[in-house]
Amino acid sequence: MDFKRIQIIFIITFLFLNTFLIFTYFDKNKSYYTSSSNQEIDFIEEMENENIQLPDFSEIENKVPYVQAETNNLLEENVEQLKNRSGTVEEDGSLYSSLLSNPLALSEEIEITQEDIELLDEFVISDQVLFGKNYRYFSYNLADQKIKYTQIANNIPIADGTSEIVFHLNNKKQVISYDQTFAGPVTVQGESRKLITDKNAVEILYQNDEIPASATVKKPVLTYSKTLLLEKLSMYAPVWYVEVTNSGTIEYKRVDALSGSIIRSNMNEESTIKEAVAEEEIKTN
């Protein structure tokens, strides 16, 4: 037998087979990406067909790192520095609640105005609030009569309730009290990572039945949310924060900006309970 000839035939056959498999692989990938692209367009079209009002999405591809905050009792340790102090610190030092002796009168407009924000900005950086320079205006909830300021970390708001100032308003649109949490100084950890886009986040919510027909979706906001809590430190990851209004009811959705998974757990359940208790005390008084 001519073994050399057989060997050559095997080599040629092997090369043809490999070439065929490589072309098949790339052809399948091309089909997959084409299908994915068409599907992406379809989701937007489907939402528009269901009368879902969508915002203008950004074309920017964000790259953001994790940030870290060390466990601290800075509110409790510095509360004596406050001027006209009339509040209390929770036993674990995580929350400071204050009643204002002189309520802040905001404008008579139904929605919050730029003048209202400027007035609150002055109050936040005054000697009546601890670490106020770390916070920025974030949102106003008309139904709950609450104005929220959040701590800024790496130019991004921490919007999971672990570092915020929540102002409580009465029916005259006067600020009568506030609750404060503070994560403390934060540091960047590791390299920046590529995030999913704000449009991706909305599509993921829609695919998972989190956005009903005829709803209105506000432009998603890139935020930080606590993802790891240890004894001595906390890690915060980038999260898309999406406000969805349906039949007058506002819901806040969160999507992990790295993995694309929907975050349904409430990172601030304890603070929410404390706010409810504080509100009940205010009503009683």
Side-chain angles (χ1 to χ4, degrees), residues 17-30:
L17 180 60
N18 275 351
T19 303
F20 172 75
L21 291 173
I22 289 171
F23 274 107
T24 302
Y25 172 78
F26 281 110
D27 187 59
K28 283 184 177 179
N29 271 318
K30 183 179 179 182

Side-chain angles (χ1 to χ4, degrees), residues 49-64:
N49 289 337
E50 292 192 23
N51 198 31
I52 295 173
Q53 303 300 311
L54 298 172
D56 292 328
F57 295 109
S58 174
E59 298 296 329
I60 298 174
E61 291 188 351
N62 294 284
K63 289 186 176 181
V64 172

Side-chain angles (χ1 to χ4, degrees), residues 86-105:
S86 59
T88 57
V89 182
E90 288 294 318
E91 190 173 337
D92 61 0
S94 64
L95 177 73
Y96 174 71
S97 300
S98 176
L99 287 171
L100 273 61
S101 54
N102 296 311
L104 288 176

Side-chain angles (χ1 to χ4, degrees), residues 152-220:
I152 303 300
N154 189 36
N155 296 317
I156 295 173
I158 297 176
D160 63 351
T162 60
S163 196
E164 66 182 16
I165 299 172
V166 179
F167 292 101
H168 302 273
L169 281 62
N170 60 18
N171 55 12
K172 297 179 180 179
K173 204 181 174 187
Q174 295 176 327
V175 178
I176 55 175
S177 68
Y178 73 86
D179 298 323
Q180 180 180 7
T181 52
F182 186 49
V186 296
T187 55
V188 171
Q189 294 297 310
E191 297 180 355
S192 296
R193 301 165 182 245
K194 186 177 179 180
L195 310 181
I196 65 171
T197 65
D198 55 356
K199 184 170 76 170
N200 293 151
V202 171
E203 289 171 337
I204 289 168
L205 290 170
Y206 175 72
Q207 292 176 65
N208 287 273
D209 299 323
E210 295 288 331
I211 302 177
S214 301
T216 298
V217 180
K218 286 191 68 174
K219 186 172 180 59

Side-chain angles (χ1 to χ4, degrees), residues 107-113 116 140 142 173:
S107 68
E108 296 181 358
E109 300 293 328
I110 295 176
E111 296 294 336
I112 193 166
T113 66
D116 293 334
Y140 171 50
L142 177 61
K173 204 181 174 187

Side-chain angles (χ1 to χ4, degrees), residues 5-269:
R5 185 179 178 185
I6 294 172
Q7 186 179 26
I8 292 172
I9 292 171
F10 270 116
I11 290 172
I12 293 173
T13 304
F14 180 75
L15 289 173
F16 271 114
L17 180 60
N18 275 351
T19 303
F20 172 75
L21 291 173
I22 289 171
F23 274 107
T24 302
Y25 172 78
F26 281 110
D27 187 59
K28 283 184 177 179
N29 271 318
K30 183 179 179 182
S31 298
Y32 170 78
Y33 286 117
T34 302
S35 173
S36 296
S37 177
N38 290 335
Q39 189 180 39
E40 187 173 298
I41 296 172
D42 287 342
F43 285 133
I44 297 298
E45 290 179 353
E46 285 181 23
M47 284 188 275
E48 290 176 345
N49 289 337
E50 292 192 23
N51 198 31
I52 295 173
Q53 303 300 311
L54 298 172
D56 292 328
F57 295 109
S58 174
E59 298 296 329
I60 298 174
E61 291 188 351
N62 294 284
K63 289 186 176 181
V64 172
Y66 285 89
V67 294
Q68 170 186 311
E70 295 184 3
T71 303
N72 64 81
N73 289 311
L74 289 172
L75 290 177
E76 185 176 21
E77 293 169 2
N78 292 273
V79 69
E80 296 298 331
Q81 298 179 19
L82 288 173
K83 183 180 180 181
N84 300 326
R85 183 169 70 89
S86 59
T88 57
V89 182
E90 288 294 318
E91 190 173 337
D92 61 0
S94 64
L95 177 73
Y96 174 71
S97 300
S98 176
L99 287 171
L100 273 61
S101 54
N102 296 311
L104 288 176
L106 302 182
S107 68
E108 296 181 358
E109 300 293 328
I110 295 176
E111 296 294 336
I112 193 166
T113 66
Q114 184 59 38
E115 288 74 18
D116 293 334
I117 295 173
E118 290 174 0
L119 179 62
L120 286 170
D121 285 345
E122 290 180 10
F123 180 80
V124 166
I125 62 174
S126 73
D127 51 12
Q128 297 187 65
V129 178
L130 292 171
F131 312 109
K133 292 181 179 180
N134 293 279
Y135 297 82
R136 298 289 184 276
Y137 170 78
F138 185 73
S139 65
Y140 171 50
N141 191 317
L142 177 61
D144 293 341
Q145 291 292 284
K146 293 179 183 179
I147 299 173
K148 183 181 295 185
Y149 274 61
T150 55
Q151 182 183 349
I152 303 300
N154 189 36
N155 296 317
I156 295 173
I158 297 176
D160 63 351
T162 60
S163 196
E164 66 182 16
I165 299 172
V166 179
F167 292 101
H168 302 273
L169 281 62
N170 60 18
N171 55 12
K172 297 179 180 179
K173 204 181 174 187
Q174 295 176 327
V175 178
I176 55 175
S177 68
Y178 73 86
D179 298 323
Q180 180 180 7
T181 52
F182 186 49
V186 296
T187 55
V188 171
Q189 294 297 310
E191 297 180 355
S192 296
R193 301 165 182 245
K194 186 177 179 180
L195 310 181
I196 65 171
T197 65
D198 55 356
K199 184 170 76 170
N200 293 151
V202 171
E203 289 171 337
I204 289 168
L205 290 170
Y206 175 72
Q207 292 176 65
N208 287 273
D209 299 323
E210 295 288 331
I211 302 177
S214 301
T216 298
V217 180
K218 286 191 68 174
K219 186 172 180 59
V221 179
L222 184 59
T223 68
Y224 273 121
S225 184
K226 186 186 291 185
T227 56
L228 179 64
L229 174 61
L230 302 176
E231 184 179 354
K232 294 185 178 181
L233 61 87
S234 298
M235 294 293 293
Y236 290 82
V239 168
W240 285 110
Y241 185 97
V242 187
E243 180 180 313
V244 179
T245 303
N246 181 38
S247 301
T249 301
I250 299 175
E251 293 185 340
Y252 301 100
K253 314 286 186 178
R254 292 184 296 161
V255 179
D256 190 307
L258 291 168
S259 68
S261 59
I262 298 174
I263 302 172
R264 291 189 171 87
S265 60
N266 185 356
M267 294 297 297
N268 194 34
E269 289 177 346

